[in-house]
Coordinates of all heavy atoms in Angstrom, one line a residue:
D10 N 17.8 1.9 11.4 CA 16.7 2.8 11.9 C 15.6 2.0 12.6 O 15.1 2.5 13.6 CB 16.1 3.6 10.8 CG 15.3 4.8 11.2 OD1 15.6 5.4 12.3 OD2 14.3 5.2 10.6
A13 N 16.7 0.8 16.3 CA 16.6 1.8 17.3 C 15.2 1.8 17.9 O 14.2 1.6 17.2 CB 16.9 3.2 16.8
P14 N 15.1 1.9 19.2 CA 13.8 1.9 19.9 C 12.8 3.0 19.3 O 13.1 4.2 19.3 CB 14.1 2.3 21.4 CG 15.5 1.9 21.5 CD 16.2 2.1 20.2
P15 N 11.8 2.6 18.6 CA 10.9 3.5 17.8 C 10.0 4.4 18.7 O 9.5 5.3 18.1 CB 10.1 2.6 16.9 CG 10.0 1.3 17.7 CD 11.3 1.2 18.5
D16 N 9.9 4.1 19.9 CA 8.9 4.9 20.7 C 9.7 6.0 21.6 O 9.0 6.6 22.5 CB 8.1 4.0 21.6 CG 7.0 3.3 20.9 OD1 6.4 3.9 19.9 OD2 6.7 2.2 21.2
L17 N 10.9 6.2 21.4 CA 11.7 7.1 22.2 C 11.5 8.5 21.7 O 11.6 9.5 22.4 CB 13.1 6.7 22.3 CG 13.4 5.4 23.1 CD1 14.9 5.2 23.1 CD2 12.8 5.5 24.5
T18 N 11.4 8.7 20.3 CA 11.3 10.0 19.7 C 10.2 10.0 18.7 O 9.8 8.9 18.2 CB 12.6 10.4 19.0 OG1 12.9 9.4 18.0 CG2 13.8 10.5 20.0
C19 N 9.6 11.1 18.4 CA 8.6 11.3 17.5 C 9.1 11.2 16.1 O 10.1 12.0 15.8 CB 7.8 12.6 17.7 SG 6.5 13.0 16.4
A20 N 8.6 10.4 15.2 CA 9.1 10.3 13.8 C 8.8 11.5 13.0 O 9.4 11.7 11.9 CB 8.4 9.1 13.1
V21 N 7.9 12.4 13.4 CA 7.6 13.6 12.7 C 8.4 14.8 13.1 O 9.1 15.4 12.3 CB 6.1 14.0 12.8 CG1 5.8 15.3 12.1 CG2 5.2 12.8 12.3
C22 N 8.4 15.1 14.4 CA 9.1 16.3 14.9 C 10.4 16.0 15.5 O 11.2 16.9 15.8 CB 8.2 17.1 15.8 SG 7.9 16.3 17.4
G23 N 10.7 14.8 15.9 CA 11.9 14.4 16.6 C 11.9 14.6 18.1 O 12.9 14.3 18.7
G24 N 10.8 15.1 18.6 CA 10.7 15.4 20.0 C 10.6 14.1 20.9 O 10.3 13.0 20.4
E25 N 11.0 14.2 22.1 CA 11.0 13.1 23.0 C 9.9 13.1 24.1 O 9.9 12.2 24.9 CB 12.4 13.0 23.7 CG 13.5 12.9 22.7 CD 14.9 12.8 23.4 OE1 14.9 13.0 24.7 OE2 15.9 12.7 22.8
R26 N 9.0 14.0 24.0 CA 8.0 14.1 25.0 C 6.6 13.7 24.5 O 6.3 13.9 23.3 CB 7.9 15.5 25.6 CG 9.2 16.0 26.2 CD 9.0 17.4 26.9 NE 7.9 17.3 27.9 CZ 7.6 18.4 28.6 NH1 8.1 19.6 28.4 NH2 6.6 18.3 29.6
D27 N 5.9 13.0 25.3 CA 4.5 12.6 25.0 C 4.4 11.7 23.8 O 3.4 11.9 23.0 CB 3.6 13.9 24.9 CG 2.2 13.6 25.3 OD1 1.9 12.6 25.9 OD2 1.3 14.5 25.0
V28 N 5.4 10.9 23.6 CA 5.3 10.0 22.4 C 4.4 8.8 22.7 O 4.5 8.2 23.7 CB 6.7 9.4 22.1 CG1 6.7 8.5 20.9 CG2 7.7 10.6 21.7
L29 N 3.5 8.5 21.8 CA 2.5 7.5 22.0 C 3.1 6.1 21.8 O 3.6 5.8 20.8 CB 1.4 7.6 20.9 CG 0.5 8.9 21.0 CD1 -0.4 9.0 19.8 CD2 -0.4 8.8 22.3
F32 N 3.1 3.7 18.7 CA 2.8 4.4 17.4 C 4.0 5.3 17.0 O 4.1 5.7 15.9 CB 1.6 5.3 17.6 CG 0.3 4.5 17.7 CD1 -0.2 4.0 18.9 CD2 -0.4 4.3 16.5 CE1 -1.4 3.3 18.9 CE2 -1.6 3.5 16.5 CZ -2.1 3.0 17.7
G33 N 4.9 5.6 17.9 CA 6.1 6.3 17.5 C 6.0 7.7 17.1 O 6.8 8.3 16.3
V34 N 4.9 8.4 17.5 CA 4.6 9.8 17.2 C 4.1 10.4 18.4 O 3.3 9.8 19.2 CB 3.7 9.9 15.9 CG1 2.3 9.3 16.3 CG2 3.6 11.3 15.4
C35 N 4.4 11.7 18.6 CA 3.9 12.4 19.8 C 2.4 12.8 19.6 O 1.9 12.8 18.5 CB 4.7 13.6 20.1 SG 4.6 15.0 18.9
R36 N 1.8 13.1 20.7 CA 0.3 13.4 20.6 C 0.1 14.7 19.7 O -0.9 14.7 19.0 CB -0.2 13.6 22.0 CG -0.2 12.4 22.9 CD -0.8 12.6 24.2 NE -0.6 11.5 25.1 CZ -1.4 10.4 25.1 NH1 -2.5 10.4 24.3 NH2 -1.1 9.4 25.9
A37 N 0.9 15.6 19.8 CA 0.7 16.9 19.1 C 0.8 16.6 17.6 O 0.0 17.0 16.8 CB 1.8 17.9 19.4
C38 N 1.8 15.8 17.1 CA 1.9 15.5 15.7 C 0.8 14.5 15.3 O 0.4 14.6 14.1 CB 3.3 14.9 15.4 SG 4.6 16.1 15.5
A39 N 0.4 13.6 16.2 CA -0.7 12.7 15.8 C -1.9 13.4 15.4 O -2.7 13.0 14.5 CB -0.9 11.7 17.0
T41 N -2.1 16.1 13.8 CA -1.9 16.7 12.5 C -2.1 15.6 11.4 O -2.2 16.0 10.2 CB -0.6 17.3 12.3 OG1 0.5 16.3 12.2 CG2 -0.3 18.3 13.4
L42 N -2.2 14.4 11.7 CA -2.4 13.3 10.8 C -3.9 13.1 10.6 O -4.5 12.4 11.4 CB -1.7 12.0 11.2 CG -0.2 12.2 11.4 CD1 0.4 10.9 12.1 CD2 0.6 12.4 10.1
F61 N -4.4 7.7 6.3 CA -4.4 9.2 6.4 C -4.7 9.8 5.1 O -4.5 9.2 4.0 CB -3.1 9.7 6.9 CG -2.6 9.2 8.2 CD1 -1.4 8.4 8.2 CD2 -3.3 9.4 9.4 CE1 -0.9 7.9 9.4 CE2 -2.8 8.9 10.6 CZ -1.7 8.1 10.6
E65 N 0.7 17.2 4.2 CA 1.5 17.7 5.2 C 2.4 16.6 5.9 O 3.2 15.9 5.3 CB 0.7 18.5 6.2 CG 0.0 19.7 5.6 CD -0.8 20.5 6.6 OE1 -0.9 20.0 7.7 OE2 -1.4 21.5 6.1
N66 N 2.1 16.3 7.2 CA 2.9 15.4 7.9 C 2.8 13.9 7.5 O 3.7 13.1 7.6 CB 2.7 15.5 9.4 CG 3.4 16.7 10.0 OD1 4.4 17.2 9.5 ND2 2.8 17.2 11.1
A67 N 1.6 13.6 7.0 CA 1.4 12.2 6.5 C 2.3 12.0 5.2 O 3.0 11.0 5.0 CB 0.0 11.9 6.1
A68 N 2.3 13.1 4.4 CA 3.2 13.0 3.2 C 4.7 13.0 3.6 O 5.5 12.3 2.9 CB 2.9 14.2 2.3
K69 N 5.0 13.7 4.7 CA 6.4 13.7 5.1 C 6.8 12.3 5.6 O 7.9 11.9 5.2 CB 6.5 14.7 6.3 CG 7.9 14.7 6.9 CD 8.0 15.6 8.2 CE 9.4 15.6 8.7 NZ 9.9 14.3 9.1
L70 N 6.0 11.6 6.3 CA 6.3 10.3 6.7 C 6.5 9.3 5.6 O 7.4 8.5 5.5 CB 5.2 9.8 7.7 CG 5.2 10.3 9.1 CD1 3.9 9.9 9.8 CD2 6.4 9.8 9.9
V71 N 5.6 9.5 4.6 CA 5.7 8.6 3.4 C 7.0 8.9 2.6 O 7.7 8.0 2.2 CB 4.5 8.8 2.4 CG1 4.7 8.1 1.1 CG2 3.2 8.3 3.1
H72 N 7.3 10.2 2.5 CA 8.5 10.6 1.8 C 9.8 10.1 2.6 O 10.7 9.6 2.0 CB 8.6 12.2 1.7 CG 9.7 12.7 0.9 ND1 11.0 12.8 1.4 CD2 9.8 13.0 -0.4 CE1 11.8 13.3 0.4 NE2 11.1 13.4 -0.7
D73 N 9.8 10.2 3.9 CA 10.9 9.7 4.7 C 11.1 8.2 4.5 O 12.2 7.7 4.5 CB 10.6 10.0 6.2 CG 10.8 11.5 6.6 OD1 11.4 12.2 5.8 OD2 10.4 11.8 7.7
L74 N 10.0 7.5 4.4 CA 10.1 6.1 4.2 C 10.5 5.7 2.8 O 11.5 4.9 2.6 CB 8.7 5.4 4.5 CG 8.5 3.9 4.1 CD1 9.5 3.1 4.9 CD2 7.1 3.5 4.2
K79 N 13.7 5.3 6.0 CA 13.6 5.4 7.5 C 12.6 4.4 8.0 O 11.4 4.5 7.9 CB 13.2 6.8 7.9 CG 14.2 7.9 7.5 CD 13.9 9.2 8.1 CE 15.0 10.2 7.8 NZ 14.8 11.6 8.4
G80 N 13.1 3.4 8.7 CA 12.3 2.3 9.3 C 11.4 2.9 10.4 O 10.3 2.3 10.6
H81 N 11.8 4.0 11.0 CA 10.9 4.6 12.0 C 9.6 5.0 11.4 O 8.5 4.9 12.0 CB 11.6 5.8 12.7 CG 11.0 6.3 13.9 ND1 11.6 7.2 14.8 CD2 9.8 6.0 14.5 CE1 10.8 7.4 15.8 NE2 9.7 6.7 15.7
A82 N 9.7 5.6 10.2 CA 8.4 6.0 9.5 C 7.6 4.8 9.2 O 6.3 4.8 9.2 CB 8.8 6.7 8.2
A83 N 8.2 3.6 8.8 CA 7.4 2.4 8.5 C 6.7 2.0 9.8 O 5.6 1.5 9.7 CB 8.3 1.3 8.0
Y84 N 7.4 2.1 10.9 CA 6.8 1.7 12.2 C 5.5 2.5 12.5 O 4.5 2.0 12.9 CB 7.8 1.9 13.3 CG 7.4 1.6 14.7 CD1 7.4 0.3 15.2 CD2 6.9 2.6 15.5 CE1 7.0 0.1 16.5 CE2 6.5 2.4 16.8 CZ 6.5 1.1 17.3 OH 6.1 0.9 18.6
V85 N 5.6 3.8 12.3 CA 4.5 4.7 12.6 C 3.4 4.5 11.6 O 2.2 4.3 12.0 CB 4.9 6.2 12.5 CG1 3.7 7.1 12.6 CG2 6.0 6.5 13.6
L86 N 3.7 4.5 10.3 CA 2.6 4.3 9.3 C 2.0 2.9 9.4 O 0.7 2.8 9.3 CB 3.2 4.5 7.9 CG 3.7 5.9 7.6 CD1 4.5 5.9 6.2 CD2 2.6 6.9 7.5
G87 N 2.8 1.9 9.7 CA 2.2 0.6 9.8 C 1.3 0.4 11.0 O 0.3 -0.3 11.0
A88 N 1.6 1.2 12.1 CA 0.8 1.1 13.3 C -0.6 1.7 13.0 O -1.6 1.1 13.4 CB 1.5 1.9 14.4
F89 N -0.6 2.8 12.3 CA -1.9 3.5 12.0 C -2.7 2.7 10.9 O -3.9 2.7 10.9 CB -1.7 4.9 11.6 CG -1.5 5.8 12.8 CD1 -0.2 6.2 13.1 CD2 -2.5 6.3 13.5 CE1 0.1 7.0 14.2 CE2 -2.3 7.2 14.6 CZ -1.0 7.5 14.9

Side-chain angles (χ1 to χ4, degrees):
D10 195 31
D16 284 324
L17 294 183
T18 60
C19 174
V21 176
C22 69
E25 299 180 358
R26 299 187 61 181
D27 211 14
V28 178
L29 294 169
F32 289 88
V34 64
C35 70
R36 294 181 189 277
C38 288
T41 69
L42 300 171
F61 304 118
E65 300 178 359
N66 283 334
K69 176 186 182 300
L70 284 169
V71 170
H72 188 276
D73 285 348
L74 169 63
K79 294 189 176 181
H81 195 169
Y84 176 85
V85 175
L86 294 172
F89 283 97

